[in-house]
């Protein structure tokens, strides 16, 4: 039988892998054709570097999360996993921040810069981007909880000795 701490860690990692994988799939399949003042165009995630970064970062974190599912608890690599959890949490933070900024401009525009909102013309695309960002935020929150849990698990035996 698994220890409750190991079970919680495994559950959090499964949620994180699922959320990052969902974010990648939803964003990578987001595209829609639209018309704006008689000009036809196609909105897709590859048009925006921030969205490409979001997909690549989430894909990397998905692969990492899947590989870490198979590490043994108490192995010498556990400290490395803790450090990599921190690095990949920061990677998720930066990618979601960049994608959210671009999504906000796409949804609301920027009157000072003369950028018009595009979500009125390509609503399916914007809804998919929103779904991908929500999945990414769920993954980020899960990784933060996982990181705090791992730090507590690592430091708890050291604190009990004092």
């Amino acid at each position: 039988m698994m220890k409750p701490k190991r079970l919680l860690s495994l559950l959090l990692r499964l949620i994180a892998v699922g959320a990052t994988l969902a974010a990648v799939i939803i964003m990578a399949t987001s595209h829609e054709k639209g018309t704006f003042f008689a000009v036809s165009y196609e909105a897709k995630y590859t048009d925006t570097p921030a969205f490409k970064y979001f997909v690549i970062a989430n894909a990397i974190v998905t692969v990492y999360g899947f590989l870490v599912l198979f590490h043994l608890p108490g192995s010498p690599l556990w400290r490395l996993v803790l450090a990599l959890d921190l690095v990949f949490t920061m990677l998720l933070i930066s990618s979601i921040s960049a994608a959210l900024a671009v999504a906000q401009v796409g949804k609301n525009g920027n009157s000072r810069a003369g950028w018009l909102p595009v979500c009125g013309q390509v609503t399916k695309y914007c809804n998919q981007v929103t779904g991908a960002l929500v999945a990414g935020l769920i993954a980020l929150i899960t990784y933060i909880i996982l990181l705090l849990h791992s730090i507590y698990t690592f430091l708890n035996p050291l604190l009990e000795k004092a």
Side-chain angles (χ1 to χ4, degrees):
M1 181 152 172
M2 279 189 161
K3 292 181 180 179
K5 288 182 181 180
R6 173 67 180 150
L7 187 62
L8 177 62
S9 177
L10 183 64
L11 180 65
L12 288 171
R13 289 195 185 280
L14 284 171
I15 292 169
V17 167
T20 53
L21 182 62
V24 169
I25 291 169
I26 294 168
M27 184 68 86
T29 59
S30 64
H31 60 84
E32 183 179 4
K33 292 185 180 185
T35 306
F36 189 67
F37 293 121
V39 175
S40 182
Y41 63 94
E42 183 177 11
K44 51 191 172 192
Y45 88 96
T46 55
D47 295 336
T48 309
F51 289 167
K52 286 195 274 188
Y53 175 53
F54 177 82
V55 169
I56 292 167
N58 276 277
I60 290 169
V61 174
T62 299
V63 171
Y64 164 75
F66 181 74
L67 292 175
V68 170
L69 285 174
F70 300 106
H71 91 284
L72 296 173
S75 74
L77 294 177
W78 193 82
R79 290 182 187 186
L80 177 63
V81 169
L82 180 61
L84 288 174
D85 280 350
L86 178 62
V87 169
F88 287 121
T89 301
M90 288 187 208
L91 181 66
L92 285 176
I93 289 171
S94 67
S95 70
I96 290 170
S97 298
L100 278 172
V102 171
Q104 190 274 337
V105 171
K107 182 175 174 91
N108 300 323
N110 186 333
S111 59
R112 292 183 182 174
W115 297 334
L116 298 173
V118 297
C119 283
Q121 289 75 36
V122 285
T123 54
K124 178 186 166 221
Y125 170 75
C126 287
N127 290 339
Q128 278 190 276
V129 168
T130 302
L133 292 174
V134 168
L137 285 171
I138 290 170
L140 174 62
I141 291 167
T142 305
Y143 262 100
I144 290 172
I145 293 169
L146 180 62
L147 188 61
L148 292 173
H149 172 71
S150 296
I151 290 170
Y152 173 77
T153 302
F154 177 71
L155 290 179
N156 194 32
L158 298 175
L159 296 175
E160 287 177 356
K161 289 180 182 177

